[in-house]
């Protein structure tokens, strides 16, 4: 018998439990500096209702250019009223709310004597461009906060790239073929130029997220341009908000990460490293071309919650405009997808669909502490004590399968926490 008493927070930097892999954005970056830009992290929020999509892009780059720009393919021309700035804390709140977690249980006294009730508690983690060639058209041009935005259409990828180069931006080598494929789909290019000196109210380490709203039957995310800046496989978390149910990819497998697995208690101290290893292993076993589900739940509830619920105002800020302005009627379903991709294994952009599946799901690992009192005073207690070694062995085996870690290493760490195997 067990009783849950707390949820362990995971205080890790960035959006994922990924410490050393390259991270990416759904477009690419171009810089006025000769220093190369490399994407480090991406969080993308997609709010979808009917044919209306709101995409909020929160990214970071390494390097120190005086100015740089995001270049993102979009299906329609974007106007000023369709672009807004989102507070970094709002995106971070949704990331924290949906992230994988670990919970801790303590076994109760197996003997029948009553004991005082243990109380439940929860830890919460705490401008003007050069003249465009005839094949390039400036469809719109405006400013939103620290972003100077130009929306371009083109019929020739070479002219588009030369146009950007003439305006002081060094397009990464290898972009022309990918750009040409987007032009073949009649897509436009949303160029959000950022002046770092004008950035304000941003202590998150990320650019202030920019939100773009548009109408299109296409429910997709362009990821191929993200590989232009790549120094290795790219990492992205996609968070979707919909009315009815879970979102999945239609052109790649959507696979669930393992959940509700019991592991040794030392995992509490190493959850970040553990989850890195678990995701690495799942990614390899899936052939490096699957998208992984990490969370799916209606925003009106969670069990357990890794962070406080988002307010209606926060959900609307992220584009879920069907949520009422007042009250707590949160008919918004959040899906968290984790994708690691490269050109070889993800030759197409991500295409999505909203499903009618509204079953709850979250990545959750479980640790259990054995009862430390006298178990010799009753038959049930002696049976409990005799079964501990089998339970410890099972937890060790679970962790080895989940992460690929050496059995000897796992057992050595267990011995240090009183769960040693004889």
């Amino acid at each position: 018998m067990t009783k849950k008493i707390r949820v362990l927070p995971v205080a890790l930097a960035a959006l994922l439990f990924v410490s050393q892999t390259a991270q990416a954005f759904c477009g690419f970056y171009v810089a006025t500096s000769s220093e190369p830009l490399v994407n480090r992290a991406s969080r993308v929020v997609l709010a979808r209702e009917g044919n209306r999509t709101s995409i909020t892009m929160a990214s970071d780059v390494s390097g120190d250019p005086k100015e740089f720009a995001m270049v993102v393919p979009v299906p329609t021309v974007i106007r000023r009223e369709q672009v807004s700035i989102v507070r970094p804390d709002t995106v971070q709140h949704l990331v924290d709310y949906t992230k994988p977690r670990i919970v801790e249980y303590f076994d109760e006294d197996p003997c029948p004597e009553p004991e005082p009730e243990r109380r439940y508690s929860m830890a919460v983690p705490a401008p003007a461009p050069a003249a465009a060639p005839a094949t390039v058209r400036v469809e719109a041009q405006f400013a939103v906060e620290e972003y100077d935005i130009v929306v371009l259409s083109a019929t020739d990828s070479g002219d588009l790239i030369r146009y950007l180069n003439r305006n002081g931006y060094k397009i990464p080598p290898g972009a022309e073929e990918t750009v040409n494929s987007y032009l073949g789909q009649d897509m436009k290019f949303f160029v959000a130029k950022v002046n770092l000196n004008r950035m304000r109210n941003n202590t998150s380490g990320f650019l202030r997220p920019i939100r773009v709203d548009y109408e299109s039957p296409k429910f997709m995310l362009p990821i191929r341009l993200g590989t232009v800046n790549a120094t290795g496989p790219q990492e992205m978390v996609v968070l979707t908000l919909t009315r009815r149910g879970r979102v999945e990819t239609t052109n790649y497998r959507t696979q669930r990460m393992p959940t509700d697995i019991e592991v040794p208690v030392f995992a509490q101290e190493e959850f970040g490293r553990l989850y890195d290893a678990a995701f690495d292993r799942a990614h390899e076993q899936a052939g490096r071309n699957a998208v992984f589900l990490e969370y799916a739940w209606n925003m009106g509830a969670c069990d357990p919650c890794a962070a406080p619920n988002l307010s209606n105002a926060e959900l609307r800020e992220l584009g879920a405009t069907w949520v009422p302005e007042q009250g707590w009627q949160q008919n918004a379903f959040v899906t968290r997808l984790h994708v690691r991709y490269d050109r070889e294994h993800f030759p197409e952009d991500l295409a999505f669909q909203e499903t009618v599946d509204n079953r709850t799901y979250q990545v959750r690992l479980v640790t259990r502490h054995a009862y430390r009192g006298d178990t010799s005073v009753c038959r049930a207690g002696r049976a409990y004590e005799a079964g501990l070694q089998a339970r410890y062995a099972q937890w060790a085996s679970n962790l080895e399968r989940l992460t690929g870690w050496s059995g000897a290493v796992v057992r050595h760490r267990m011995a240090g926490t009183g769960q040693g195997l004889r």
Side-chain angles (χ1 to χ4, degrees):
M1 187 181 300
T2 59
K3 185 179 289 290
K4 179 171 60 179
I5 67 165
R6 62 190 176 105
V7 180
L8 297 177
V10 183
L12 296 177
L15 64 155
L16 293 172
F17 307 105
V18 180
S19 55
Q20 297 183 9
T21 50
Q23 315 236 347
F25 182 61
C26 53
F28 65 78
Y29 290 102
V30 291
T32 56
S33 168
S34 60
E35 181 177 352
L37 282 169
V38 178
N39 297 336
R40 287 202 291 130
S42 286
R43 294 86 63 81
V44 176
V45 182
L46 294 170
R48 177 78 171 181
E49 183 184 28
N51 284 339
R52 182 181 181 275
T53 298
S54 295
I55 175 171
T56 300
M57 298 165 283
S59 298
D60 198 7
V61 295
S62 61
D64 188 26
K66 293 181 179 178
E67 291 181 337
F68 63 92
M70 298 181 290
V71 180
V72 183
V74 290
T76 63
V77 174
I78 305 299
R79 306 298 180 189
R80 168 63 184 85
E81 61 272 16
Q82 295 171 265
V83 182
S84 57
I85 302 299
V86 173
R87 292 171 300 154
D89 287 350
T90 301
V91 176
Q92 188 62 51
H93 192 173
L94 187 59
V95 169
D96 290 341
Y97 187 85
T98 59
K99 66 187 178 184
R101 62 207 68 184
I102 190 166
V103 294
E104 182 181 37
Y105 292 80
F106 283 74
D107 286 354
E108 294 180 339
D109 186 347
C111 292
E113 290 81 358
E115 63 175 27
E117 180 183 358
R118 294 187 177 97
R119 299 183 65 84
Y120 174 87
S121 65
M122 182 179 73
V124 179
T135 59
V136 178
R137 178 183 175 89
V138 178
E139 301 283 359
Q141 185 174 0
F142 49 87
V144 180
E145 302 289 343
E146 64 265 32
Y147 291 91
D148 293 324
I149 293 167
V150 178
V151 181
L152 304 172
S153 62
T155 57
D156 184 275
S157 59
D159 280 352
L160 177 61
I161 290 172
R162 283 188 289 273
Y163 171 74
L164 290 169
N165 284 334
R166 284 202 301 272
N167 281 279
Y169 297 101
K170 299 181 182 298
I171 306 304
E176 186 166 343
E177 180 181 353
T178 303
V179 169
N180 194 56
S181 70
Y182 286 115
L183 296 181
Q185 302 173 55
D186 196 30
M187 296 188 76
K188 319 304 178 188
F189 286 82
F190 177 89
V191 182
K193 180 180 179 183
V194 181
N195 186 324
L196 297 182
N197 293 325
R198 287 161 51 196
M199 292 180 66
R200 59 182 183 272
N201 301 327
N202 183 0
T203 59
S204 68
F206 290 86
L207 295 175
R208 286 207 297 177
I210 186 168
R211 174 183 140 194
V212 180
D213 303 334
Y214 58 84
E215 293 278 341
S216 173
K218 296 179 180 179
F219 186 17
M220 54 86 70
L221 187 64
I223 63 171
R224 288 178 296 145
L225 279 178
T227 62
V228 174
N229 296 56
T231 57
Q234 304 295 286
E235 207 86 28
M236 182 181 291
V237 160
V238 181
L239 298 148
T240 67
L241 296 169
T242 52
R243 270 186 181 270
R244 294 180 298 277
R246 180 178 58 82
V247 168
E248 64 184 14
T249 49
T250 59
N251 54 342
Y252 297 100
R253 284 175 298 146
T254 301
Q255 183 167 314
R256 297 185 177 211
M257 280 294 293
T259 190
D260 287 331
I261 296 175
E262 296 187 357
V263 294
V265 295
F266 80 82
Q268 296 165 8
E269 300 174 2
E270 298 192 22
F271 187 51
R273 192 169 73 90
L274 185 162
Y275 195 75
D276 277 349
F279 188 85
D280 289 347
R281 190 168 176 83
H283 176 67
E284 291 292 329
Q285 290 177 339
R288 304 184 189 179
N289 63 352
V291 176
F292 289 90
L293 178 69
E294 292 182 329
Y295 191 88
W297 212 293
N298 188 287
M299 289 297 301
C302 55
D303 180 27
C305 298
N309 289 59
L310 273 71
S311 67
N312 284 28
E314 288 176 302
L315 293 173
R316 291 178 61 86
E317 183 182 3
L318 293 169
T321 54
W322 63 87
V323 174
E325 293 187 22
Q326 305 295 329
W328 284 91
Q329 183 188 351
Q330 296 183 318
N331 55 329
F333 197 94
V334 60
T335 304
R336 177 181 175 128
L337 301 171
H338 180 174
V339 56
R340 178 179 296 166
Y341 64 96
D342 56 26
R343 289 191 182 192
E344 178 184 357
H345 298 92
F346 283 82
E348 300 177 357
D349 294 320
L350 298 180
F352 301 105
Q353 67 178 4
E354 180 185 9
T355 73
V356 296
D357 182 2
N358 58 13
R359 290 173 295 177
T360 59
Y361 172 81
Q362 63 178 312
V363 175
R364 188 187 78 139
L365 300 184
V366 178
T367 62
R368 298 183 186 274
H369 295 263
Y371 178 71
R372 296 302 184 189
D374 186 1
T375 58
S376 64
V377 296
C378 71
R379 180 179 300 175
R382 292 189 290 273
Y384 167 84
E385 191 70 31
L388 282 178
Q389 282 291 302
R391 293 173 70 196
Y392 293 164
Q394 183 62 61
W395 299 343
S397 177
N398 291 346
L399 188 57
E400 292 165 29
R401 287 197 306 272
L402 183 67
T403 63
W405 288 352
S406 151
V409 171
V410 170
R411 284 160 174 73
H412 174 73
R413 291 300 315 276
M414 291 178 68
T417 62
Q419 294 186 336
L421 288 164
R422 296 191 290 270

